[in-house]
Amino acid sequence: MTLSSDAARPRPVNSVDRTAFRDMCRAFARREIEPRWREADRERRFPREFYVAAARAGLIGITADESVGGAGLGSYEEAIAMEEMSRINPNLAVAVLVQNVAGSLLYEHGTAEQREIARRTVAGECMVAITVTEPEAGNDVQNVRTTATRVGDEWVLDGLKSFITLGGEADVLVTLAQTEPGSGREGMRFFAVDRHSPGVTATQIDAYVNRPAPTYRIAFDQVRVPESRRLPAGFREIMAGFNRERIMVAARWLGHMHHALEWAIEYARVRHQFGRPIGANQSIAFQLAQCHVDVEAARHLTYHAAERWDSGAPLRDVILDVSSAKLFATQAVVRVTQAALHVGGGWGLTEELPAMRMALDALVAPVTVGSYEIQLRAIAREIGLPVE
Ligand SMILES: Cc1cc2nc3c(=O)[nH]c(=O)nc-3n(C[C@H](O)[C@H](O)[C@H](O)COP(=O)(O)OP(=O)(O)OC[C@H]3O[C@@H](n4cnc5c(N)ncnc54)[C@H](O)[C@@H]3O)c2cc1C
């Protein structure tokens, strides 16, 4: 399968009643995320049983084809699931996002052996992680320095990755490396590396965000990987698929901002000062009214991008929609959670209210999977500006 930017892309093969699907996702989030996330957040420990529960509920591999146990649905349904889970907690939700994105690299681009890993991921038996970023290669992915050197039927990987979500929990690290140093992205390939291989070390990074789904530094020291674990597809083809991740990121923050707004509205109704609810003051009420528009605008942009993605249109025709949705949702979630924090006043800054946690969680939104500037650059190019 080719994913060049001019080629038509595959469309979903199945469909569902979307209202019933949303209800199922909401019930799942209440049952499996609500009782778990606070303790996991405090302990900075990912509860693996949540991954297994998500797989059993059919939320891993939503867009995967049925041959690997997937549901064959579209990114629209995947966005519904992400939004509903994130309304309870965006950081356990991101674990599902990572499984779906890393898994899709294997089932969309992999060999039979690599698709078998994806089948196990969908079944809840094998966690995977996206292993791209490095200390010196953040947004500039083409600067990846981890090397893969061919030795007989194997490759030997050396290098250091950073910010790998669930890198210490995953069984397989879908890792980008240079196979021909000096040839830029043409010389880059992905490898499905067993995390338990000799020479792989995972060290947790002490981040304020994403806590129940920790991020790790991953060191590769002379790690031997069989040739059968090298994904056949090239860098451009695989990276193009990361645009779908941007839609899921938008849906993640849509769910989070919706939750923050609901909380702020309720607090503004029940918190009294000067003998009336604080929400009776126009300054507070108008701020929350503005947040409502942010949430609805993010909703429209996110699901519009998902629909365009599922239409099968060539990538070049959907990039503008995808980047617009990702940019807007990741900006809006910061505005909405800051407003919620403001409404919370002094109590908002304590652990007695959820406002600070929500605002802190939102700060990662503009950073991952292409920052504000990277989305703006993509949008500027698409509207015809001669940006590099
Ligand atoms: C919590 C968390 C989880 C993550 N999970 C994963 C994961 O699972 N797998 C993975 O591979 N990676 C992951 N990442 C990495 C993430 O996707 C980003 O790529 C990375 O954090 C950004 O790189 P950096 O921090 O080195 O920032 P830099 O790239 O150094 O950017 C710093 C600043 O410079 C700006 N900037 C950079 N280039 C330009 C430019 N050309 N024009 C204008 N401004 C520019 C950026 O917008 C940013 O504001 C994660 C990161 C975090 C924080």
Side-chain angles (χ1 to χ4, degrees), residues 15-294:
S15 60
V16 280
D17 173 338
R18 286 178 174 162
T19 307
F21 184 75
R22 186 178 284 281
D23 289 346
M24 184 278 283
C25 294
R26 189 169 296 176
F28 169 82
R30 288 204 182 118
R31 191 176 67 244
E32 303 292 346
I33 299 182
E34 182 65 53
R36 281 199 177 100
W37 78 262
R38 286 180 191 79
E39 189 184 340
D41 183 279
R42 242 188 335 271
E43 294 179 358
R44 301 179 189 206
R45 184 192 64 81
F46 178 70
R48 190 170 174 120
E49 65 276 13
F50 167 69
Y51 154 63
V52 176
R56 287 205 180 123
L59 298 177
I60 311 283
I62 291 175
T63 63
D65 59 59
E66 292 168 58
S67 66
V68 294
L73 294 170
S75 53
Y76 197 104
E77 286 76 23
E78 201 177 12
I80 291 176
M82 196 46 55
E83 182 194 349
E84 289 301 329
M85 286 187 284
S86 301
R87 275 182 74 179
I88 304 287
N89 182 258
N91 302 326
L92 281 185
V94 80
V96 173
L97 189 156
V98 168
Q99 300 315 298
N100 281 332
V101 172
S104 72
L105 302 186
L106 300 173
Y107 63 73
E108 283 178 8
H109 305 286
T111 60
E113 178 181 335
Q114 294 153 14
R115 285 170 59 80
E116 172 58 15
I117 300 172
R119 189 199 63 71
R120 294 181 53 231
T121 300
V122 171
E125 297 164 6
C126 176
M127 281 181 66
V128 283
I130 308 158
T131 312
V132 172
T133 302
E134 298 184 359
E136 302 303 325
N139 283 289
D140 185 9
V141 175
Q142 296 177 48
N143 195 33
V144 155
R145 292 175 185 177
T146 294
T147 53
T149 311
R150 185 83 190 243
V151 181
D153 282 347
E154 293 182 322
W155 293 85
V156 179
L157 265 65
D158 282 288
L160 182 63
K161 297 288 179 180
S162 50
F163 287 123
I164 307 308
T165 303
L166 298 171
E169 286 78 13
D171 305 294
V172 171
L173 304 166
V174 184
T175 305
L176 182 63
Q178 275 283 359
T179 53
E180 297 165 41
S183 25
R185 56 189 174 186
E186 301 309 326
M188 287 185 181
R189 284 292 182 275
F190 276 87
F191 295 83
V193 183
D194 279 336
R195 184 178 61 84
H196 303 289
S197 308
V200 178
T201 317
T203 318
Q204 195 168 319
I205 296 175
D206 224 0
Y208 291 109
V209 293
N210 267 31
R211 284 216 300 227
T215 54
Y216 291 82
R217 282 191 184 83
I218 305 281
F220 295 99
D221 179 12
Q222 296 273 297
V223 178
R224 303 186 85 84
V225 181
E227 157 67 5
S228 62
R229 291 298 192 91
R230 179 179 63 83
L231 273 67
F235 176 80
R236 281 172 201 263
E237 199 176 325
I238 291 189
M239 293 312 281
F242 277 105
N243 279 287
R244 205 187 86 235
E245 184 179 5
R246 293 184 170 149
I247 304 173
M248 296 315 128
V249 168
R252 178 188 182 201
W253 298 116
L254 166 63
H256 187 59
M257 73 177 97
H258 188 182
H259 173 62
L261 177 59
E262 284 176 328
W263 177 83
I265 292 172
E266 183 55 21
Y267 191 75
R269 286 158 62 93
V270 300
R271 172 74 177 167
H272 282 66
Q273 289 293 289
F274 299 98
R276 60 178 186 270
I278 56 170
N281 298 296
Q282 281 192 350
S283 57
I284 297 284
F286 286 8
Q287 222 182 117
L288 297 185
Q290 188 72 58
C291 290
H292 168 78
V293 177
D294 264 344

